[in-house]
Amino acid sequence: MFFLRRTPWLRYLLLLAAILALFLFFSSFWLPQRECGSAGQPCFIQRAPEPPLFPGEPVIKECPGQSFQAGRLLLHLRSSMLEEDDVLLENYLLGWDQLISFMESLGTMVGFFSQKVKDKVQLIRDLSLKHREGEQGQGGMCFHLLQPYRSVRTMVGAELQRGVVSFSERSDSGCRTLLRLHRSLLWLRLLLHGLSEDQEPFKTPGELSRDAYQVALAPHHSWFLRNAAELVFLALPDRHHFLRVVCVRDQREATPILRVIIHTLTLVHDRTQRILDQHGMLELP
C-alpha cells in the first residue's frame, strides 16, 4: 500500500486495466454466437445455408459445373418487374441468357432453336445501343432518351415514334423481335409446367415439348419449321436429365422449384402480353 501511494502512475495504470477489463466483459454480449468444440478446441462460426429468395420458397441451390442456374433465372426475371406494369429490358434479356443455357443443356438437336433465340436476344441489345447512338447524334434530346432501351414500354414508344415498326410486313424492329421471344417464353413455360406434374404416368419431355409447341409456336411457324421441331422433340433427353439440369435428385424436389419458376415466368409473360396488346402488336408479321 505504501508503494502504491508513492507511485501515482501505477494507480492510473491499474485503473486503466480495470476499465479495459470491464469494456471487454460487456462487449462480449454483442459478439456473434458461435458453436464451440470441447475444452481447448477453437470455435468456428457456423455458415447458414443459402436462404430462399422469398419466405416460404424452396431453397434453390447453385449447381456447380453448368451454365444454367435456376436461382439466377429467378433473380433476373424478378428484377425485370421492379417497375409497375413494365418490364426492364436488360434484366429480361439476362433472364433469356439463362433460358438459352437451359435449352443448350438439352443437347445439340435443340441448338437450332436456341441459336435463333440467341440471335433475337442479341438483335434487341444491338438495336438498343443503336437507338442510344442515334439519339446522341441529335442535339437537344432529354437525358433519358440518351440511354439504351430501358424497358419494354420505352422500346415500344421509341420505335412507334420513329416509325420503324411495320404492321403489314416483316421488319427488324425490337418490337417484332420481342414478340418472337414472347411466344418462345410461353413454350418454355408450358414445357416446365408439364415437367412439374408430380403424378404418374409421366409424359416424356418430348411429348411435353410437342404439346407446348402446338399451343405457343406452331400456329406461327412454317411447315418446314414444324417438321424440324418434330425431329428435335424425338431427340430430347429423358426426364432424369431435366432434373439434373435443375440440380435436384427426384421429382419430389423438382416440383416446388419448377412451380416457383413457372409462376415468375407467368408474371413476366402476362406483363409483356399486356404491353404488346395495348399497342396492337400481338400479330406483327
Side-chain angles (χ1 to χ4, degrees):
M1 295 295 296
F2 173 78
F3 179 74
L4 290 176
R5 288 195 298 271
R6 298 296 298 270
T7 54
W9 61 270
L10 186 56
R11 291 201 304 272
Y12 297 145
L13 184 62
L14 290 174
L15 179 61
L16 180 61
I19 293 173
L20 180 60
L22 286 172
F23 172 76
L24 292 175
F25 172 74
F26 286 111
S27 65
S28 66
F29 290 106
W30 288 274
L31 291 175
Q33 299 299 310
R34 298 183 292 175
E35 296 290 339
C36 301
S38 57
Q41 292 183 343
C43 298
F44 297 95
I45 297 176
Q46 300 296 310
R47 184 178 295 276
E50 189 71 21
L53 290 172
F54 286 89
E57 286 189 356
V59 175
I60 300 179
K61 299 179 292 186
E62 186 83 3
C63 205
Q66 66 179 42
S67 298
F68 172 71
Q69 300 292 339
R72 294 182 200 171
L73 172 62
L74 283 174
L75 181 63
H76 294 318
L77 292 180
R78 284 172 170 165
S79 297
S80 75
M81 296 186 290
L82 290 178
E83 288 194 3
E84 186 176 356
D85 200 28
D86 203 352
V87 178
L88 299 178
L89 199 54
E90 183 55 28
N91 301 90
Y92 174 82
L93 297 178
L94 286 171
W96 262 112
D97 289 339
Q98 282 296 310
L99 289 171
I100 290 169
S101 295
F102 172 76
M103 295 171 67
E104 290 177 340
S105 70
L106 305 182
T108 55
M109 285 295 290
V110 188
F112 173 76
F113 287 100
S114 63
Q115 184 58 50
K116 283 186 169 295
V117 172
K118 190 182 297 185
D119 292 342
K120 289 177 173 59
V121 169
Q122 187 58 49
L123 176 59
I124 291 179
R125 285 188 169 122
D126 291 343
L127 290 172
S128 178
L129 293 175
K130 184 179 179 181
H131 162 74
R132 180 180 65 177
E133 293 167 357
E135 297 294 353
Q136 284 176 335
Q138 303 174 21
M141 288 292 182
C142 297
F143 175 77
H144 72 277
L145 289 179
L146 302 183
Q147 308 302 310
Y149 293 138
R150 187 170 182 274
S151 67
V152 171
R153 288 194 180 279
T154 302
M155 180 176 70
V156 170
E159 291 200 336
L160 286 175
Q161 185 179 20
R162 299 205 315 272
V164 298
V165 182
S166 175
F167 291 83
S168 59
E169 58 185 14
R170 293 186 178 184
S171 63
D172 286 333
S173 66
C175 294
R176 179 183 183 274
T177 307
L178 175 69
L179 176 62
R180 271 59 187 173
L181 290 178
H182 178 66
R183 292 168 178 169
S184 296
L185 192 70
L186 176 60
W187 170 62
L188 285 169
R189 191 190 90 191
L190 294 174
L191 168 60
L192 292 176
H193 177 75
L195 290 170
S196 73
E197 296 296 325
D198 57 359
Q199 294 184 354
E200 298 187 21
F202 296 133
K203 284 188 174 183
T204 68
E207 292 170 331
L208 294 172
S209 295
R210 183 182 295 108
D211 292 346
Y213 178 81
Q214 292 299 325
V215 173
L217 293 173
H220 311 286
H221 280 179
S222 65
W223 176 90
F224 172 78
L225 283 178
R226 292 196 300 270
N227 281 272
E230 287 294 327
L231 297 177
V232 172
F233 302 147
L234 291 174
L236 285 178
D238 60 21
R239 183 178 287 257
H240 293 294
H241 180 86
F242 279 80
L243 298 184
R244 288 195 297 272
V245 171
V246 185
C247 212
V248 295
R249 291 172 295 182
D250 52 36
Q251 186 67 44
R252 181 181 60 83
E253 286 187 7
T255 295
I257 292 176
L258 289 175
R259 285 175 177 170
V260 170
I261 295 174
I262 293 162
H263 176 68
T264 308
L265 288 173
T266 301
L267 293 176
V268 174
H269 184 272
D270 288 351
R271 279 199 188 187
T272 310
Q273 178 92 1
R274 282 196 301 272
I275 297 170
L276 293 174
D277 188 32
Q278 287 168 3
H279 295 87
M281 294 183 174
L282 290 177
E283 297 297 332
L284 290 177

